[in-house]
Structures are given as C-alpha cells and as structure tokens.
Amino acid sequence: MVIAARLLLALAVEKGGLVLTPAGALKRVDVWHVFDQTEWPGYDKATTLAVNKVINEHDAYGVLFTRIVLQAAGLLRKRLGVLKATKAGKALLAPEAAPALLAELFEAVFWKVNLQDFDRNPIEFWPQHHMGVILWSLSVTAHDWSSAESLMESCTIMDTLDKVARPDLPAFAMMSRVLRPLTWLGVFESRKQTRHSGRGFDEDFRKVPLFGQLVAFEVEMKGAEGVRH
C-alpha cells in the first residue's frame, strides 16, 4: 500500500493533478499505472485481468482503497474534479519519508475511513469502534499463524456485537476490516490454508516484525476481576 500511495502521489505531482471521471473515480490510465506495479494479498491480479476487458478503479480494489485513504489522510485533495497532492503529501514522497507515510496511512485506514463502505457487510462499524483494543490484542496473540475466526475470538470485544444475520459475518468483518488492511499495510502476512471442515475462510494470518516497529502500547489493567479487555 505504501508503494501504491507513492505511485499515486508522484503521478499527481507529475501531472499537476489527477483528473477524475464524472463519477468521481480515477481514470483508467491512472488506475493502470498503479495496478500494473502493485500486488495485493487476497486478490489475484490474473483473475482480475481475466474477467475485465478494461480495468476501472472499482475493478482494482487496492487502488481504490489507497486513493480513498490518501484523501482521508489529507495527502490528496479533490478540487473541481481534480485530485492534487497536498503539501504534506508531496513531502512524504522523499525516500526517507516512507516510514512516516506508512504511519499516516495506518492511522487513516483505521481511524479516518469507515471500512464498512468497502465490504458490504451489514454489521455496522464493528469491530472498528474498538480498534485500539484489537491492535493491542493482536500484538500479544498473533505470533503464529491463526485463522480470522480464532483471532476474532481472542482479540475483539464480542459483547459489543448485536445479533447478526449469519454466523460467519463477524469473522468476515474481522478479516475485511482488520486483517486484510494490515496485510496491505505490510505489517501482517497471510497464507492460503485448506480448511478440513470445509467451513471458514481459507487464509491464516500473523504479524511481522514491522508491526512492533510501527505501533506501541501503554496498557494499564484495572481490576483483577474485570472483563478480559
């Protein structure tokens, strides 16, 4: 995602702005510039190319996601149908600014963007409203390969979840709103797994060392008899 962000920011600077379509999306030529040079865990580029004669922004989910996050972070700004790099966005193009760019993207993904807008999951906002708790919990549990279901059970506050239409929706929310963005940010990794039961998602996840370099926690436990979180 840092690579995609740098490509979009550099392109916006080079062109003096990215002209959007009447619907407010990136033009195909700009989408392809980023899509062709990036890979996105969980999304197969060959499949996307096989089912689409042309690549629009909504066909290239990672490009769309990055563009929206850059706007939420204040690094790209839309005016009169054109996306331009802000002063802060231009400053983060320097090679030595890559860690700062990652930090800006990380904050915007989880605290400035409503991730429900991307996954069509009817569960509203959960578990994004307690993301700090989740990230801390992942920091102490996600050392080894684990499924989205098991990480959901150990790292989210299930009591905040109302009745859901299908039992698989909470794990789907955990995967699409927490684990998948973390892999795109490069602080988690995923691998394909075969589920012997035939149920659940076919990926496992674990954190990488960069996760601990990016985030730190000051946690104070109050009351020995309190709830787990």
Side-chain angles (χ1 to χ4, degrees):
M1 191 173 175
V2 170
I3 295 172
R6 289 176 60 84
L7 287 169
L8 276 176
L9 288 170
L11 194 62
V13 172
E14 176 187 336
K15 290 188 170 186
L18 303 176
V19 179
L20 301 175
T21 68
L26 291 171
K27 289 191 171 183
R28 290 171 181 168
V29 64
D30 298 330
V31 172
W32 180 257
H33 178 77
V34 181
F35 177 82
D36 188 47
Q37 300 182 68
T38 51
E39 299 289 341
W40 301 90
Y43 288 84
D44 181 56
K45 182 181 289 187
T47 300
T48 301
L49 291 170
V51 300
N52 296 283
K53 292 183 179 180
V54 295
I55 305 299
N56 295 306
E57 190 181 34
H58 278 78
D59 303 316
Y61 180 46
V63 180
L64 168 67
F65 190 80
T66 302
R67 190 261 295 173
I68 290 176
V69 170
L70 283 170
Q71 288 183 254
L75 304 180
L76 282 177
R77 182 169 295 131
K78 182 170 70 172
R79 185 176 183 184
L80 300 176
V82 179
L83 273 182
K84 292 193 174 185
T86 64
K87 183 177 179 181
K90 293 176 182 178
L92 290 174
L93 277 173
E96 64 273 14
L101 176 58
L102 174 58
E104 291 288 343
L105 296 173
F106 186 92
E107 180 181 1
V109 166
F110 295 119
W111 285 282
K112 297 181 181 179
V113 172
N114 184 356
L115 297 172
Q116 184 188 4
D117 292 341
F118 296 93
D119 62 13
R120 300 181 181 178
N121 190 327
I123 299 177
E124 293 188 2
F125 209 58
W126 190 93
Q128 195 175 356
H129 67 293
H130 57 279
M131 190 60 66
V133 170
I134 293 172
L135 292 172
W136 171 71
S137 299
L138 287 171
S139 74
V140 297
T141 61
H143 304 287
D144 299 317
W145 291 112
S146 302
S147 67
E149 294 92 331
S150 64
L151 290 172
M152 174 196 70
E153 292 170 355
S154 60
C155 298
T156 66
I157 304 177
M158 299 296 294
D159 292 344
T160 64
L161 185 62
D162 295 328
K163 186 177 180 180
V164 296
R166 298 201 320 265
D168 63 326
L169 289 178
F172 175 44
M174 180 67 179
M175 187 274 290
S176 64
R177 300 175 186 177
V178 180
L179 299 173
R180 177 69 67 227
L182 287 172
T183 64
W184 285 3
L185 287 161
V187 297
F188 261 55
E189 59 184 347
S190 64
R191 68 175 184 182
K192 290 286 185 179
Q193 282 288 84
T194 300
R195 296 280 180 257
H196 297 295
S197 66
R199 300 176 60 187
F201 303 98
D202 62 351
E203 282 181 279
D204 285 344
F205 300 85
R206 69 179 178 185
K207 65 179 182 177
V208 301
L210 182 58
F211 181 85
Q213 298 169 24
L214 180 64
V215 293
F217 304 90
E218 293 183 6
V219 180
E220 180 181 352
M221 305 298 290
K222 293 185 178 180
E225 302 300 323
V227 294
R228 178 175 53 181
H229 298 297

